[in-house]
Amino acid sequence: MANNSRFQRLRSLVAADGTIRRTSVWHEVEDYLVITFGLVLYALGWTAFLLPYEIASGGLTGISAIVYYITGLEMQYTYFTVNALLILAAIKVLGLKFCIKTIYGFTVLSLLLTLLQALFRDDAGRLPQILGEGQDFMACIIGAGLCGVGLGLIFQHQGSTGGTDIIAAIVTKYKNVSMGRMILLCDLIIISSLYFIFHDWKRVVFGFTTMFVLSYLIDYVLNLAHQSIQFFIISRRHERIKHALLNDLHRGVTLIHAEGAYTGDDVEILMVVARRRQSVEIFRMVKNIDPNAFITQTTAAGVFGEGFDKIKV
């Protein structure tokens, strides 16, 4: 199964004449650029805000932070070592395709954590509390915000930082448990263990706050990227609008034949589904062709099929 998926992936990159498709290669490059930017935000959130205030969260980074607080061993060493061991098991179970971006993710994140900690440390070798003393809650919110946006961008482009993601993926391959539930369970165990290690409820509260903010922003970033808009357009110049949508904006159009209840005239309704980011372009295009056009716009909760998300059951 894994071999077939890798073959299809390679075939999608190669055109009929045997040359590599430029668009496919660019999409791969774009994925890695965005993943790298997300990793920078994630590493910055930990280095500048969470580590200096001794705040932990779930996942392997949370475990690595706890080890750092107890022993002084910088978190990237624990993080990289455990991930390397997990990935060896994951390659055999999940296949190389799943692991390539994961290997890239945890390797680059380890390097970024090393680099940023070296830049941020003061002369005494400590990470400074840049918000000032006693600003633990603000550091928790800002750090979790940076980590959440960073992870959202990483997941949006099929990347991964490893850790509990790998464990969850392996378990769900053999057990009828959702990946999200497995990751949540791991995070709950890790954060709850903070009390038994430090005997401080404040750390536990900050840990759960970090997890909540981080999870919310991951979902927000992912949903924002995939939000779609449905338009119904009624215009006497529907043919011109249809051609502009098809040829200029490259959006599919469905013609719905209708009848005006008041006038009794035949009416052509154009139904268009597009990404939210294209909504302004569509409004401008329709206004230029027919300023008197009648348009309704609604948010589509989910759009699946060609040009949008794959159907998931």
Side-chain angles (χ1 to χ4, degrees):
M1 189 72 177
N3 289 332
N4 288 336
S5 64
R6 287 198 294 273
F7 173 74
Q8 291 171 357
R9 180 69 168 174
L10 290 171
R11 188 173 62 180
S12 68
L13 296 175
V14 181
D17 59 357
T19 58
I20 297 177
R21 299 181 191 272
R22 291 184 179 180
T23 53
S24 298
V25 172
W26 167 244
H27 286 320
E28 286 293 311
V29 173
E30 183 184 23
D31 281 347
Y32 279 97
L33 288 174
V34 176
I35 288 171
T36 303
F37 179 66
L39 291 168
V40 171
L41 292 179
Y42 190 70
L44 184 63
W46 272 103
T47 304
F49 298 99
L50 299 182
L51 287 178
Y53 290 88
E54 296 188 345
I55 298 169
S57 69
L60 182 54
T61 46
I63 296 173
S64 303
I66 293 171
V67 172
Y68 169 68
Y69 301 146
I70 296 173
T71 66
L73 179 67
E74 292 184 6
M75 67 179 291
Q76 62 267 24
Y77 299 120
T78 305
Y79 174 76
F80 182 84
T81 302
V82 177
N83 260 318
L85 295 174
L86 287 172
I87 209 71
L88 291 176
I91 289 174
K92 186 175 182 179
V93 176
L94 303 173
L96 184 61
K97 180 183 176 183
F98 172 85
C99 298
I100 289 175
K101 285 183 179 178
T102 303
I103 293 171
Y104 176 82
F106 76 74
T107 302
V108 173
L109 181 57
S110 300
L111 293 173
L112 287 169
L113 286 168
T114 303
L115 176 62
L116 289 176
Q117 286 183 68
L119 291 173
F120 274 84
R121 288 189 187 280
D122 57 21
D123 296 335
R126 294 172 300 186
L127 291 172
Q129 297 182 345
I130 60 178
L131 298 179
E133 293 184 7
Q135 296 296 322
D136 302 50
F137 182 72
M138 284 304 300
C140 171
I141 297 298
I142 297 173
L146 287 171
C147 290
V149 173
L151 283 176
L153 293 172
I154 292 166
F155 294 155
Q156 186 184 109
H157 290 263
Q158 293 77 51
S160 172
T161 56
T164 50
D165 295 357
I166 299 174
I167 297 172
I170 292 174
V171 172
T172 54
K173 185 176 177 68
Y174 297 105
K175 300 290 184 180
N176 187 24
V177 183
S178 71
M179 191 164 177
R181 188 172 297 177
M182 274 304 304
I183 292 174
L184 178 62
L185 179 61
C186 291
D187 289 347
L188 288 174
I189 293 172
I190 293 165
I191 295 172
S192 298
S193 68
L194 289 170
Y195 178 77
F196 301 100
I197 296 170
F198 299 105
H199 303 288
D200 184 358
W201 281 111
K202 185 174 74 172
R203 291 177 184 266
V204 178
V205 172
F206 283 147
F208 280 116
T209 302
T210 302
M211 186 182 76
F212 174 78
V213 174
L214 193 146
S215 300
Y216 175 81
L217 285 172
I218 289 174
D219 288 342
Y220 180 79
V221 171
L222 290 174
N223 291 333
L224 190 66
H226 293 285
Q227 268 193 349
S228 299
I229 302 296
Q230 180 175 274
F231 293 92
F232 284 105
I233 305 170
I234 302 175
S235 170
R236 297 181 183 277
R237 302 175 184 175
H238 60 271
E239 281 295 326
R240 287 184 58 190
I241 295 174
K242 181 185 74 174
H243 287 298
L245 287 166
L246 291 170
N247 301 321
D248 298 338
L249 299 185
H250 306 290
R251 298 311 318 175
V253 182
T254 300
L255 279 176
I256 301 174
H257 304 290
E259 179 182 322
Y262 180 75
T263 62
D265 296 338
D266 291 333
V267 178
E268 298 292 342
I269 302 175
L270 305 177
M271 187 188 78
V272 184
V273 179
R275 294 295 188 194
R276 178 177 288 277
R277 60 179 176 269
Q278 283 190 300
S279 60
V280 174
E281 292 180 83
I282 292 174
F283 273 112
R284 285 175 180 168
M285 180 271 296
V286 172
K287 183 180 178 181
N288 288 335
I289 296 173
D290 183 4
N292 298 315
F294 181 83
I295 306 175
T296 64
Q297 172 189 332
T298 56
T299 300
V303 180
F304 305 95
E306 186 175 352
F308 293 90
D309 298 328
K310 292 182 180 179
I311 298 175
K312 301 174 184 177
V313 180

